[in-house]
Each structure stands twice: as C-alpha cells, then as structure tokens.
Amino acid sequence: MSNDKLRLALFGSGRIGQVHARSIAENPDIELVMIADPFIDGAQALAAKVGGRAVADPEEVFGEPDLDGVIVASPTPTHVDLMSRAAAHGLAVLCEKPIDLDIDTVLACREQIAAHSVPIMLGFNRRFDPSFASVRRQVADGEIGALEQLIITSRDPAPAPRDYIAASGGIFRDMTIHDLDIARFFVPDIIEVTAVGANVFSDDIRELDDFDSATVTLRGRDGQIVTITNSRHCAFGYDQRLEAFGATGMLSAGNVTATTVRRYDAAGTEQSGPFLPFFLERYAAAYRAELDAFARAIRTGEPCSPGFDDGVAALILADAAAESATTGKTVGVAQA
Amino acid sequence: MSNDKLRLALFGSGRIGQVHARSIAENPDIELVMIADPFIDGAQALAAKVGGRAVADPEEVFGEPDLDGVIVASPTPTHVDLMSRAAAHGLAVLCEKPIDLDIDTVLACREQIAAHSVPIMLGFNRRFDPSFASVRRQVADGEIGALEQLIITSRDPAPAPRDYIAASGGIFRDMTIHDLDIARFFVPDIIEVTAVGANVFSDDIRELDDFDSATVTLRGRDGQIVTITNSRHCAFGYDQRLEAFGATGMLSAGNVTATTVRRYDAAGTEQSGPFLPFFLERYAAAYRAELDAFARAIRTGEPCSPGFDDGVAALILADAAAESATTGKTVGVAQA
Amino acid sequence: MSNDKLRLALFGSGRIGQVHARSIAENPDIELVMIADPFIDGAQALAAKVGGRAVADPEEVFGEPDLDGVIVASPTPTHVDLMSRAAAHGLAVLCEKPIDLDIDTVLACREQIAAHSVPIMLGFNRRFDPSFASVRRQVADGEIGALEQLIITSRDPAPAPRDYIAASGGIFRDMTIHDLDIARFFVPDIIEVTAVGANVFSDDIRELDDFDSATVTLRGRDGQIVTITNSRHCAFGYDQRLEAFGATGMLSAGNVTATTVRRYDAAGTEQSGPFLPFFLERYAAAYRAELDAFARAIRTGEPCSPGFDDGVAALILADAAAESATTGKTVGVAQA
Amino acid sequence: MSNDKLRLALFGSGRIGQVHARSIAENPDIELVMIADPFIDGAQALAAKVGGRAVADPEEVFGEPDLDGVIVASPTPTHVDLMSRAAAHGLAVLCEKPIDLDIDTVLACREQIAAHSVPIMLGFNRRFDPSFASVRRQVADGEIGALEQLIITSRDPAPAPRDYIAASGGIFRDMTIHDLDIARFFVPDIIEVTAVGANVFSDDIRELDDFDSATVTLRGRDGQIVTITNSRHCAFGYDQRLEAFGATGMLSAGNVTATTVRRYDAAGTEQSGPFLPFFLERYAAAYRAELDAFARAIRTGEPCSPGFDDGVAALILADAAAESATTGKTVGVAQA
C-alpha cells in the first residue's frame, strides 16, 4: 500500500464523529491520525476501534505536523472556533452543518477564514446520496427538460431528546436546513420562502416554542417551486424522498430498505421491509462519498462542493422560513 | 327488469355530459329520459348512442312529468339558474363543479334553494375514486392514528385551450378546487390558506394573468397541514395521487395504468405503462359510483355528500388561495 | 339505440353463466334472448336480474327464430351435445372450456360440426385479459426480440369442493388447461411436455388420486421453454402472472388489486391490498372483451380465436402432462 | 487495532480472487498475508492494491508460519489438490465452487481431507445474500407455513467466452449449480431431478454440445417442488430472484439496483434503473458476509455452512440434471 495517505484529524467522537471515523477506516487512501474530544473516554473508545491517537485538547491537533485536514464533528457551538483555527493553520476543513445557528457569527467566520485559502467543505451529506445525486445529474443533463417543481419529503423516525431540541435552533435551522440545501442543490437561486409550522403530536416541542411538523415552499429565480414536507416523527422509519418534476418528465428518488424481500399473505401483498432506520444507515454511502470528495478536493485543490457559502445560504433560508412561519408572510431572500 | 327505474334528465351534451350519459346507460336502475342542450346536434348525437330524447329548450325538462332529478353538466354560467329552477320543480340535482365562480352568487343561490328540500349533490367526483375513498375510510377507521399531513398531487396532462382558461376563473377556482374538496374530504375544517403560484411554461396562461403551476398549503383546525401541488401540464399523463400521513402510519393512493405490464430492457427495468390519460378514464369508476350515490340519496332521502355546502366551502378556499398567491400572505378562512 | 342487436341465448345459469349474462347486460350491442337451464329456478333468478326468457328445455332455444348464437356455460358433459346441435341449427357458439374431458369425444365432435361452417369460439378467457393480451401483442411486434422463455404462474385461491375435483378430470385437464392455452397463445407449436405433480397440502385431493400442485415444462418447436407453476390454493388470493423473456428484453404481467392504495407502518412498507379474489373479478374485463370478440366474429364472419382447434390442442397437452407426471418421462406431442 | 487478526492466504488473483482480496481489505479483523498465483503479474498487481505478499509458488503458502487459513480462488482443476494440501497443513479452507467437475474425484477428496478436522467452507456465496438469507430465515421461522414451491430465476447478463464454456462442465455443473445449492438451502433433501435444456440463441454453445437455457424441476422429500429457470444471457442485466411459496403466504427476493431512482416520461412510468450488472456487484455484500462466516468458523470451531458436503450434494444434483436433460427422464437422487 502506498505511503502517501491523506492524514486527517477528527474533532468529536459522538454519533456523527463515529460515522466519519468508520468511513475513514474503510478508506484505503486516508489515515485517521487523531481523535480529539474533551470527553476523552469517547475519543479513546473510538480510537480503539478504528485507530488513531485519542486526545482531549484540540491544541494537540493543531500542533501535529504533516496533517492535511480536519473533520469538525463536535457540538455546533464549537464549529466556528475550530474551523477558524484549522484554517489559520492551513488545514482543510470538513465541517458538519450548521456552521452556527447565528447568521452574523457565520458571516464573521467567513471573513476570517477568507484570508486562508484552504478547502472548506460543509457536511451536507445528502448531496452525496447515490439516488439524489443521480437525479441531480440527470436533471442537469436535461433528462426532464426545465425543472419546474421539486418535492422534498423529509421525516425523522422520532424526535430527538428534549434537551437536543431546546438547543437546536428550531426545526428550520436544525432539520429543514438539510432539505433547504437539497433545494439549493437543484435550484441554487431561491428568492422567496413561505413556511407553515404545526404542532400535531409533541407537547414537549410545543412547550419549547418549536414546531414538530412543517411545510416550506420556496420560489426559485426562474419560477420553480420547491415544496418541503417535514415531520419530527414517522411511524414507518426515516422517510427521505424527492421528486423532480420537469417539462418533459419526472425523476423520483425513494427510500431504502435493507433487502428486496416482499411479503404476500392474507393481510396484503408486496409488503416491503422497513426503511433503513435513520441517517447513519440511510446515508452511509453518502458519508463515504462525501469523504472521498473532501479527499479529492484536498489533493486537487479544486473548490469544495458544498462549500462554506452553501452553509451560509442554507442558514439564510432557514431564518427566512422561521420568520415566515411566525408572521404568515412570504419572505424574500437575497443570497448573501 | 323492474319498472321503477329512476328517471333523470341531463343538461349538457359536452365532454362531462357524455360521461354521465354513459354511466347511466350502464346502470340498470336509471333511465335517461332527456338530454337538453341548446346545441341540439350534440344532444341528438348523444341520444342516438345512449337513448333518451334530445331537446334544445331546458323548459321541456321542467315540463316533463314523473322526472326524479337532473344532472347539470352545462357550462358553469348556467349552473345557478338551472339548479334553482330544478329545485323549484322539486327535482333532485347533481351539479357539476363549480356552482359558480362568484361566491356571492353562490350564497344567494343557496338561500333560494333552501326553501325546497330537494337533494342537491355536487360533482366532486374524486371523493368516489375507489383508491381515495379507501384511504379516507381507513383514516376514519383510525388505521394511521391521527391524521397529521395530507399531500395531494394533481397535474393535468396538458393545459385546456386558451379560451377555456380565460373563462375558468383561474387555476385555483377551476383546477385546485377539486383538490381543495379532497382536502376537506379528509380535513373538513380548514382555517388557513397559503398559496404560491408560478408561471414556468405557458406564455398563454401568463398573458391571461393566471398561473400554470401552484402550491397550496392549508391548515386544519387541529393543526393538520395539507399540501397541494398543481401543474397545468404533465409529460407522463394525468398525475393524481395523495398521501395521508398519520401518527402511526401512512396510506398512499397512486395513479392508474391500463394494464399491469412491466417492461425490462437495456434502457431500464420495471417500466410501467402510461397513466390513464385524463379524468374520463382515470375517474370512470368514480363517476359511476357518484351516480350510484346520487340515485341512493334520491331513493332514501338521506343527505347528499358532497352537498351544496361542500361546493360553497371549496369556493371559499379557492378564493382565499387566489388572494394568498397575490398578496404573499396567509389568509384565514371561516367556513361560511 | 339501433335495433340490430345481436340475439344470443345462454345455456347454464351457474357461476360462469352469470358472468356472461352480466357482460351481455352491459353490452349495448347484444340482447340476451333466453336463458336455458334444467334448474329453472336459477334461470329465472338470473333472467329477473338481466332480462331474457328463462326456459328449462334447451329445445326451446333451438326453436327460437332469429337467434344469432349461443353461449354454452352448462356443465362440461353437456358441451359436446349442445355445441353440435347449435352448429346444426346454424348458430354461432361460444363454448366454455373444456369441450370435453375425453379427446376422442372431442375429435368426433370436431368432425361433426365441421360440416356446418358456423363460428365456434372457445372460452379461453385469459387471452382477452388486457395485460396478457398487451404482452402478447408486444411480443408479436418484436418488442423483446425472439421469445425464449415464458413463465406462467397460476394459483387458485382455494381448492374447489371435493365433488368438483372428483369430476374435474384432474388438475391438468381442469386447471392447467387454461395455462396450456396461454402457452399456445404465445408458442402455438408445442412439441414436448414434461410435468411434475405433487401433493403438499390436501388429503382430499390425494385421496382422489389427483395433485394439488404441479409444474409443467413445455418445449416449443423453436426451442422456447414454457414453465407453468400451479397450486390449488394460495393464501394471498388468485395469483395469475406471466413473464415473457426474449432476446432483447422481458415483459411481465402481474396481479390486479382493487385500488392503488399502499400502506406504510411499523410492520412494513408499500403494502398493497389483496389481489382480486378469483376469476370473476380478475377476468371481468377479459370476459367482456371475449364477448365483444365473439360478437365481432359473428358479424364479420372472420374466424374465431381461440377456436375449436385451440380447445383440442389444449386438451392434448393436458393429457400429455398427466401422462408425464405419472411416468416421469417427457412426452412428445404432435398437434392433432 | 488489535494484533490478533486472522491471517489468510489467497490462491488465485483472477476476478473472484480480487473480490475476496477486496473483502479482506475492508475487514478490520482479517489480514491478507499472501497472494499466490503462477501468473505472478496478477498476484503482484493485486498485492499492490490490497496488501500482502505476492508469490508464484503455492508451496510458499504452505511454508508460511502462523497462517490460519486459505481461500482457494484458483482455476477449478487446482481446487482438489490445493484444498487437500491445505487441510493436511491444518489450514482452514474457503474453496470456490465447484470442488471439481467429476464426482468421483470429489468423493476421493472428501475421504482424504476427512482425516484432518479443519474447517472447510464452500463458496456458495448466494446463501449470504441479505435478501435470500432473509427469506430463508423467515421460512425457517414459519412465516409462510410449510414451504410448498420454490421458484428460482437465474440469468447471466451474457455468456462467458467460448473457451470458458468449453471447460465449464456444462450449464448444469457451471451455472445451475449455484441455484441447486440455493434449492438445497431451502429444501435440503432433494429426491428427484427433471431437467429440460434448450438452445435458443447461441450457436457457439450449441456447437459445444451445451445448452444456453434450461429449466430444472426438483422434488423435495416432503413433496415440495423447486423450479429453476436459467439463461446464459439477459438483456436487462443479472437476473437473480426467488419466490418461496408456502401454505400461508409467499416471500420474494428481487433484483438490486444502484439507486432508488424512478423515471416517468411520455414513454412510460416508474422505470427503474438497470439491475446491478453481474455477481461482483450484486453479491458484494454476500461475499463480505461469507468471509465473516468463514472467519467466525475458524475462530469458534463451529462447523462451516455451506460445507464440503454441500458441494458434493450440489454436484450430484447437477449431474442428475445433465442426465435428465439428455434422457428426457426424471432422475432419482440419493444424497451421497
């Protein structure tokens, strides 16, 4: 095996950090050098499984020689600081969404890191889902003519814990933001946001002044309408679909099951198994492809996609959705 | 065969009149006595095929003895007058949607016919579609728990002629009104309407100050969100689907194909045939079931469903949608 | 309505007779003149529903003036006699399968009726199933290149009563015969039959020396292989499918459900409803199309398809299958 | 990472050897120590990609200390020799199918290795396909009652080269053998084999006195019927399906596509992408699971499944199929 593996460090050994660590372990071209987490037990447990050195202090990462880049999978409030320092050290960054819940903080961060021309990639993993990416490619190739309507369905299997929701920034900034990025993946120039939120099942979420369900309608510069349907729960698993409707046809991307088994009995026919339960399983291939794209960007110097500005744009749309859901008015947006 | 067939007359020998005439011809319990159309050639041609007497003057219908009811399938501007006169003659009425494009005219008509307690049924045929009706029944039976989200997709295969569009009252009153009724079929109490219209493919429609595409979001009294996606064209046929998402599951109803044939070749796999082209084919069974329900209401004296008030409610929602799409504001509605 | 309706009489007011009576009632071009059944109560009950005169004695049918044809839906042992007499009276005949269970009787009947050049159609209704017919047409049009393999699945929902089975002639002559005709619909020249029978669930059928399940493999003159899978029961309804596999692709035809509703819940996803329960429902459209074809043949004088010889050929294959299942040897057949 | 990785050597660097090498590279519990291939260039190229030492002489493998087992993925004629020597050296063996094309050679080999109680696993990878394995598990759990019929469809995308076919032992020993093993996976005791072969598209294969298509019917001890449909080509990809039909229901396992994308346009609807092209892609997960099972058997000492005797049994069935296809007679088999 060649010795010029890419050397990466990982911030955060939580759920999403573990996803990246495992993707690296299965990638023969990347070496996981360090796992940094103030909760050192987590870092050590993960390092024992996938290799790398566990450290509690992020400073050790910035002191490590010959590092190529970092993956920021620590809690959201640490993102801006870690990203800025990594950039200052000339390290490429793959940062989980969101950059920050506050748009001013995000814009300030952008200015700061602009000076250092390092690759910055945002963790909008769904762009790398093989089915979504295939639809995107076919739309770009003109397979369905001009895109007119995009319908995104995105439902989580069950609400996150109350504490998580409380700190999440609300459904639009925490959950819908992924769908807003997928909207921009297909329709980069969004000019209007109309959102409706609802509380139909969770008293917890209602008490937190957040919505448990939402519908967002976006208008693109060329008149395209994007519709996003969200729910914080879903009895039949993780529901992640889209339909791209164009002048000459439609392409849909559906949910994923573990097998192709279908059941036929007195109760009904063609019953498929449950959908893959949540993002770790459903987007496993997407996370691996995302890592590949990050590695390629580092090696080639080509711009990252999605990049920092995609994170900015998605947050602006999330803020607009939150405003629209509160005021009952369509909100115009100008991409910053 | 029994001699106590129900005796009906039909106003209008156009496309939708022909649908009803054919349904009657195949129904052993109903006799088509008269077909009235000022365009007498149309009435005669239809009578030659399915039986009944062709007349030009509607007055002949009202003079006919022993008639049980009428079907109003003439142009929209004639609906209120024919319905009112039929009611005054004690005839049951099955009236095609919309009652009228103007809500004040509709409300005046309501007052007028209230005096005569005849069965009045509105031609919202989709309620009788076997698949939609089955979903509705299962939702009512609690099969998916509390209904939280209803997603309606409704796309016509191709725009109607420019003249038709010009007189149609706009996409919301002409096309969406069917979907608004389906929304009320599941969520009778709608309290808010938010609509976004777009012009993405038809210069004709744009010139008429109408939209060729639209998305409407409704909020029910209990927080349910209904989303309607409309387009005036669809490259792959008549696209008529819905998804009812509830606390414990989801039920979907899809499009209909003429056969179950699937094709597998080098270009792809599991390719199904085209969807049934338009409402005549797709809703053929629905029209027959609607006629059965009308006949049953006449014979039993039970209230018609959908009735006159369902027509009023749908028009109120269509007006609200038109207002919302123009103002960019959510519009509150109180069911009249 | 025109007065030159085709005038038909019906022998048999049982299950299959009722199907034909109802098809006639819905067909504006055909008049059901008489229903003949020694069990006069059945004939009268049916006539009350769909019209026509009920008679006990078949002779009355042959004495009726201006009759165009008869449908023979009486018990199998009466087929040959009724068909022969009808032909002698110059009446067209649509005869339910099988002509008879004994090939010599069938061949004698063929000789007898050959003298009278009346249209004789065999009730192999499945050829008129819209899905099977569409596959057949596309295969003929070369859509999948040369046909190489045909896979037929045919399972009844539940075994017929013991008495019926006892008189049925065995699974191959009673049940498989329909599939053998479909095999010949695609591959007219069958040269070899290999059959395997099994007893896996029914002691009744075993005691009658019959099989409850069977697999038949046919070889066509050009090397095509046809595989038929049969079972006398099926927990999930009436299972009627086929796959036509050719050099450049495959076409499949599947089962039919009453609606397009799909269910998603914690137990599974995309569950469709039950298949239409049995032949009356599944092949309702086929029976109507069969009647249309019979009427067309009478009016135009064009040869019936399937005709008498198709009935002969199917019985020869059924006999060969029975022999093969008993001897464990492939049986060569020469089409009589 | 722990140091007690399982140490394996690989014989053969061809297509199937590469599959195993890649599975090992992605498996953190197994180390690929050596790749042996007289065609040393192939071994070296593969070692450069996935690690391990490339050697030309198999003797070097048997001289390597601390080896746990070998994978035999070299040409069929070398299997018996390599397996026997590996067993004599106390090494566990995962051997690709078939053990040998000659049943006497296979039985002699069995005697020879019986003395050495090493784990011997046969490379019937399909047993590890997640969908097939799920159906098998559910059948064993009684989910569909007693199994009555098993329908296996297995078509290769395109014929192997003429030279390969010439040395393959014929369609039954080379291709059907996988399906015969799947048949035994569900119905271990097969008592009768009936086979029909055909030549419908390949002159090459006809000239080699082999069949390009075949249908095999097996009878299990309890009356179950298994039907296998084979073709050496398939215009729409690698067609690998099965249906398990039982007393109370049916379970099917279908083909696999790279994405869930569906296309709708004027030509048709719901068109899925092509099936995964061939076994490398379709059974990638199966090969990984097979390797896991082999590793587990080495570590735990539990018996391998499928084991040597499964290889013997499949070859006996393949021989019986070849005989039946030639003689036109059902062949009884007693499992050796």
Side-chain angles (χ1 to χ4, degrees):
Chain A
M1 276 175 273
S2 76
N3 283 315
D4 63 347
K5 283 190 173 195
L6 219 56
R7 290 165 48 84
L8 300 184
L10 171 68
F11 291 109
S13 61
R15 202 164 46 166
I16 190 72
Q18 290 168 30
V19 171
H20 289 299
R22 229 169 305 145
S23 293
I24 294 175
E26 290 171 12
N27 192 318
D29 295 331
I30 306 181
E31 185 187 346
L32 181 55
V33 176
M34 281 180 144
I35 302 172
D37 197 322
F39 172 58
I40 187 69
D41 286 1
Q44 282 167 346
L46 186 55
K49 267 193 243 161
V50 300
R53 187 151 58 92
V55 299
D57 185 357
E59 213 49 51
E60 293 201 42
V61 169
F62 299 122
E64 174 78 12
D66 296 327
L67 215 53
D68 293 295
V70 300
I71 297 178
V72 178
S74 47
T76 300
T78 69
H79 286 185
V80 163
D81 178 54
L82 290 172
M83 200 185 317
S84 302
R85 289 162 73 190
H89 280 87
L91 296 170
V93 181
L94 167 55
C95 182
E96 274 306 312
K97 68 95 212 170
I99 303 171
D100 192 88
L101 294 173
D102 177 59
I103 184 68
D104 292 331
T105 306
V106 168
L107 294 175
C109 176
R110 176 160 68 172
E111 239 174 87
Q112 207 172 356
I113 63 174
H116 320 286
S117 61
V118 295
I120 306 279
M121 187 160 176
L122 255 286
F124 286 127
N125 57 297
R126 295 185 195 172
R127 290 192 182 209
F128 298 97
D129 175 72
S131 297
F132 293 173
S134 167
V135 173
R136 174 68 183 77
R137 211 162 29 238
Q138 291 185 63
V139 170
D141 289 351
E143 294 278 333
I144 57 167
L147 180 67
E148 296 178 0
Q149 300 179 326
L150 180 70
I151 318 295
I152 300 170
T153 304
S154 172
R155 297 178 178 124
D156 281 354
R162 191 186 159 105
D163 285 357
Y164 176 94
I165 300 269
S168 72
I171 191 171
F172 299 113
R173 288 180 197 90
D174 177 59
M175 182 177 169
T176 317
I177 197 162
H178 270 297
D179 307 303
L180 293 166
D181 181 65
I182 287 293
R184 292 190 62 258
F185 187 38
F186 283 84
V187 183
D189 287 325
I190 302 291
I191 60 169
E192 274 180 24
V193 179
T194 312
V196 172
N199 294 91
V200 287
F201 70 87
S202 167
D203 289 339
D204 265 11
I205 296 176
R206 184 194 301 267
E207 285 164 16
L208 293 167
D209 265 334
D210 197 359
F211 302 114
D212 57 33
S213 310
T215 297
V216 181
T217 310
L218 310 171
R219 187 196 296 275
R221 187 168 302 283
D222 299 325
Q224 313 97 318
I225 300 182
V226 182
T227 311
I228 298 168
T229 297
N230 284 151
S231 177
R232 282 280 193 189
H233 77 162
C234 183
F236 49 91
Y238 191 40
D239 191 11
Q240 299 281 302
R241 290 173 282 152
L242 63 78
E243 285 183 12
F245 175 82
T248 63
M250 181 169 79
L251 293 163
S252 69
N255 286 304
V256 181
T257 49
T259 70
T260 62
V261 177
R262 297 266 181 175
R263 182 189 180 93
Y264 304 70
D265 59 23
T269 60
E270 294 191 26
Q271 186 184 39
S272 190
F275 297 138
L276 291 184
F278 207 9
F279 63 93
L280 301 183
E281 299 84 8
R282 162 62 192 264
Y283 290 121
Y287 282 113
R288 284 194 296 267
E290 182 186 66
L291 187 68
D292 283 344
F294 181 51
R296 209 162 42 240
I298 296 178
R299 289 191 196 277
T300 64
E302 282 167 17
C304 288
S305 173
F308 193 97
D309 284 354
D310 293 303
V312 175
L315 185 56
I316 289 174
L317 294 179
D319 285 349
E323 181 188 337
S324 173
T326 309
T327 62
K329 290 183 190 164
T330 294
V331 175
V333 287
Q335 299 292 327
Chain B
M1 274 174 278
S2 76
N3 283 318
D4 63 345
K5 284 190 173 197
L6 218 55
R7 291 165 48 83
L8 300 185
L10 170 68
F11 291 109
S13 62
R15 201 163 48 165
I16 189 71
Q18 291 169 31
V19 171
H20 289 298
R22 229 169 304 144
S23 292
I24 295 175
E26 290 171 12
N27 192 318
D29 296 330
I30 307 181
E31 185 186 348
L32 181 54
V33 177
M34 281 181 143
I35 301 172
D37 197 323
F39 172 60
I40 186 68
D41 286 2
Q44 282 167 346
L46 185 55
K49 267 194 244 161
V50 299
R53 186 151 59 91
V55 301
D57 184 356
E59 213 48 51
E60 296 202 38
V61 170
F62 299 121
E64 175 77 12
D66 296 328
L67 216 52
D68 294 294
V70 300
I71 297 178
V72 178
S74 49
T76 299
T78 68
H79 287 186
V80 162
D81 178 54
L82 290 172
M83 201 185 317
S84 302
R85 289 163 70 190
H89 281 85
L91 296 170
V93 182
L94 166 56
C95 181
E96 274 305 311
K97 67 93 214 172
I99 304 170
D100 192 89
L101 293 173
D102 177 58
I103 184 67
D104 293 330
T105 306
V106 169
L107 294 175
C109 176
R110 177 162 65 172
E111 241 173 87
Q112 207 172 355
I113 62 174
H116 321 286
S117 62
V118 296
I120 305 280
M121 187 161 175
L122 254 287
F124 285 127
N125 58 297
R126 295 185 196 173
R127 290 192 183 210
F128 299 96
D129 175 72
S131 297
F132 292 173
S134 167
V135 172
R136 174 66 183 79
R137 210 160 32 236
Q138 293 185 63
V139 170
D141 290 350
E143 294 278 333
I144 58 167
L147 180 67
E148 296 178 0
Q149 300 180 326
L150 181 71
I151 316 295
I152 300 169
T153 303
S154 173
R155 297 178 177 124
D156 281 354
R162 190 187 161 105
D163 285 357
Y164 175 94
I165 299 271
S168 72
I171 190 169
F172 298 113
R173 288 180 198 89
D174 177 58
M175 180 177 172
T176 317
I177 199 163
H178 270 297
D179 307 303
L180 293 166
D181 180 65
I182 287 293
R184 291 191 63 258
F185 187 36
F186 283 84
V187 184
D189 286 325
I190 301 290
I191 59 170
E192 273 180 25
V193 179
T194 312
V196 172
N199 294 92
V200 288
F201 70 87
S202 166
D203 289 339
D204 264 11
I205 296 176
R206 183 193 302 268
E207 285 164 15
L208 293 167
D209 265 335
D210 196 0
F211 301 114
D212 57 33
S213 310
T215 297
V216 181
T217 309
L218 310 171
R219 186 196 297 275
R221 187 169 302 281
D222 299 325
Q224 313 96 316
I225 301 180
V226 182
T227 311
I228 298 168
T229 297
N230 284 150
S231 177
R232 281 282 194 188
H233 77 163
C234 183
F236 48 93
Y238 191 39
D239 191 10
Q240 298 281 302
R241 289 174 281 152
L242 63 78
E243 283 183 13
F245 175 82
T248 64
M250 180 169 80
L251 292 163
S252 69
N255 287 302
V256 181
T257 50
T259 70
T260 62
V261 178
R262 298 266 180 175
R263 182 190 180 93
Y264 303 71
D265 61 21
T269 60
E270 294 191 25
Q271 187 186 38
S272 189
F275 298 138
L276 292 183
F278 208 7
F279 63 93
L280 301 184
E281 299 85 5
R282 163 60 191 264
Y283 290 120
Y287 282 112
R288 284 193 298 266
E290 183 186 64
L291 187 67
D292 283 342
F294 181 51
R296 209 162 40 239
I298 296 178
R299 290 194 195 274
T300 65
E302 283 168 18
C304 288
S305 174
F308 194 97
D309 284 353
D310 293 304
V312 175
L315 185 57
I316 289 174
L317 294 179
D319 284 349
E323 182 188 337
S324 173
T326 310
T327 62
K329 290 184 190 162
T330 294
V331 175
V333 287
Q335 300 291 330
Chain C
M1 274 175 280
S2 77
N3 284 316
D4 61 347
K5 283 190 173 198
L6 219 56
R7 291 166 47 84
L8 300 185
L10 170 68
F11 291 109
S13 62
R15 201 161 50 163
I16 190 70
Q18 291 170 31
V19 171
H20 288 299
R22 229 168 304 144
S23 293
I24 294 175
E26 290 170 12
N27 193 318
D29 295 332
I30 306 182
E31 186 186 346
L32 180 55
V33 177
M34 280 180 145
I35 302 172
D37 196 323
F39 173 58
I40 186 69
D41 286 1
Q44 281 168 345
L46 186 55
K49 269 193 242 160
V50 299
R53 187 151 59 92
V55 299
D57 184 356
E59 212 49 52
E60 295 202 38
V61 170
F62 299 122
E64 175 78 11
D66 296 327
L67 215 52
D68 293 296
V70 299
I71 298 179
V72 178
S74 48
T76 299
T78 68
H79 287 185
V80 162
D81 178 53
L82 290 172
M83 200 184 319
S84 302
R85 289 163 70 191
H89 280 86
L91 297 170
V93 182
L94 167 54
C95 181
E96 274 306 312
K97 68 96 212 170
I99 303 170
D100 192 272
L101 293 173
D102 176 59
I103 185 66
D104 291 331
T105 307
V106 169
L107 294 175
C109 176
R110 177 161 69 175
E111 239 173 88
Q112 203 171 359
I113 64 175
H116 322 286
S117 62
V118 296
I120 306 280
M121 187 160 174
L122 253 287
F124 286 126
N125 57 299
R126 296 186 194 172
R127 291 192 182 211
F128 298 96
D129 175 71
S131 298
F132 293 173
S134 168
V135 172
R136 174 67 182 77
R137 209 159 36 234
Q138 292 184 65
V139 170
D141 290 351
E143 293 279 332
I144 56 167
L147 180 66
E148 297 177 359
Q149 299 180 327
L150 181 72
I151 317 295
I152 300 169
T153 304
S154 174
R155 296 179 178 124
D156 280 355
R162 191 186 160 105
D163 285 358
Y164 176 94
I165 300 268
S168 72
I171 191 169
F172 298 112
R173 287 179 198 89
D174 177 59
M175 180 177 172
T176 316
I177 199 164
H178 270 298
D179 308 302
L180 293 167
D181 180 64
I182 286 294
R184 291 191 61 258
F185 189 36
F186 284 84
V187 184
D189 287 325
I190 302 290
I191 58 169
E192 271 180 28
V193 180
T194 312
V196 172
N199 294 90
V200 287
F201 70 87
S202 167
D203 289 339
D204 265 11
I205 296 177
R206 184 194 301 268
E207 285 164 16
L208 293 167
D209 264 334
D210 196 359
F211 302 113
D212 56 34
S213 310
T215 297
V216 180
T217 309
L218 309 170
R219 187 196 297 274
R221 185 168 305 283
D222 299 324
Q224 313 97 315
I225 301 180
V226 182
T227 311
I228 298 168
T229 297
N230 284 152
S231 177
R232 281 281 194 189
H233 78 161
C234 182
F236 49 91
Y238 191 39
D239 191 11
Q240 298 281 303
R241 291 173 280 151
L242 62 78
E243 285 183 12
F245 175 83
T248 64
M250 179 169 80
L251 292 163
S252 69
N255 286 304
V256 180
T257 50
T259 70
T260 62
V261 177
R262 296 266 182 177
R263 182 190 181 94
Y264 304 70
D265 60 22
T269 61
E270 296 191 23
Q271 187 185 38
S272 191
F275 297 137
L276 291 184
F278 207 8
F279 62 94
L280 301 183
E281 300 84 8
R282 162 61 192 265
Y283 290 118
Y287 283 112
R288 284 194 297 268
E290 182 186 67
L291 187 67
D292 283 343
F294 181 51
R296 210 163 40 243
I298 295 178
R299 289 194 196 276
T300 64
E302 282 168 17
C304 288
S305 173
F308 194 96
D309 284 352
D310 293 304
V312 175
L315 184 58
I316 290 174
L317 294 179
D319 285 347
E323 180 188 339
S324 174
T326 309
T327 62
K329 290 183 191 165
T330 294
V331 175
V333 285
Q335 299 293 326
Chain D
M1 273 175 278
S2 76
N3 284 315
D4 62 345
K5 285 189 171 195
L6 218 57
R7 291 165 49 83
L8 300 185
L10 171 68
F11 290 108
S13 62
R15 205 164 47 165
I16 190 69
Q18 291 169 32
V19 171
H20 289 298
R22 231 169 302 144
S23 293
I24 295 176
E26 290 171 15
N27 192 317
D29 296 332
I30 307 181
E31 186 188 346
L32 181 54
V33 177
M34 280 178 144
I35 301 171
D37 197 323
F39 172 59
I40 187 69
D41 287 1
Q44 282 168 347
L46 185 55
K49 268 194 244 161
V50 299
R53 189 152 57 91
V55 300
D57 184 356
E59 212 47 54
E60 295 202 40
V61 170
F62 299 121
E64 175 76 13
D66 296 327
L67 216 51
D68 292 296
V70 299
I71 298 178
V72 178
S74 49
T76 299
T78 68
H79 286 184
V80 162
D81 178 53
L82 290 172
M83 199 184 319
S84 302
R85 288 163 70 190
H89 280 86
L91 296 170
V93 181
L94 167 54
C95 180
E96 275 305 313
K97 68 95 217 175
I99 302 170
D100 193 89
L101 293 174
D102 177 60
I103 186 66
D104 293 330
T105 306
V106 169
L107 293 176
C109 175
R110 178 161 67 173
E111 237 173 273
Q112 204 171 359
I113 63 175
H116 321 286
S117 62
V118 296
I120 305 279
M121 186 161 176
L122 254 287
F124 286 126
N125 57 297
R126 294 183 195 175
R127 291 192 180 210
F128 298 96
D129 176 71
S131 297
F132 293 173
S134 167
V135 172
R136 175 66 183 77
R137 210 159 31 236
Q138 292 184 65
V139 170
D141 290 350
E143 294 279 331
I144 57 167
L147 180 67
E148 296 177 0
Q149 300 180 325
L150 180 72
I151 317 295
I152 300 169
T153 304
S154 173
R155 297 179 178 122
D156 281 353
R162 190 186 161 105
D163 285 357
Y164 175 93
I165 299 269
S168 72
I171 191 169
F172 299 112
R173 286 180 200 89
D174 177 58
M175 181 177 171
T176 317
I177 197 164
H178 270 298
D179 308 303
L180 293 167
D181 181 64
I182 286 294
R184 291 192 62 257
F185 188 35
F186 283 84
V187 184
D189 286 324
I190 302 290
I191 59 169
E192 273 179 26
V193 180
T194 312
V196 172
N199 294 91
V200 287
F201 70 87
S202 167
D203 289 339
D204 264 11
I205 296 176
R206 183 194 301 267
E207 285 164 15
L208 293 167
D209 264 334
D210 196 0
F211 302 113
D212 56 34
S213 310
T215 296
V216 180
T217 309
L218 309 172
R219 185 196 297 274
R221 184 167 304 280
D222 299 325
Q224 314 97 317
I225 301 181
V226 182
T227 312
I228 298 168
T229 298
N230 285 150
S231 177
R232 283 280 195 188
H233 78 162
C234 182
F236 49 91
Y238 190 40
D239 192 10
Q240 298 281 302
R241 291 174 280 152
L242 62 80
E243 284 183 12
F245 175 82
T248 65
M250 179 170 79
L251 293 163
S252 69
N255 287 303
V256 181
T257 50
T259 71
T260 61
V261 177
R262 297 266 180 176
R263 182 190 181 94
Y264 304 70
D265 59 23
T269 61
E270 295 191 25
Q271 186 185 39
S272 190
F275 297 138
L276 291 184
F278 207 7
F279 63 92
L280 301 183
E281 300 85 7
R282 162 61 192 264
Y283 290 119
Y287 282 113
R288 284 194 297 267
E290 181 186 67
L291 187 67
D292 283 344
F294 181 50
R296 211 165 36 244
I298 296 179
R299 288 194 196 275
T300 64
E302 283 166 18
C304 288
S305 173
F308 195 97
D309 284 352
D310 293 303
V312 175
L315 184 56
I316 289 174
L317 295 179
D319 284 349
E323 181 188 336
S324 173
T326 310
T327 62
K329 291 185 190 162
T330 294
V331 175
V333 285
Q335 299 293 327

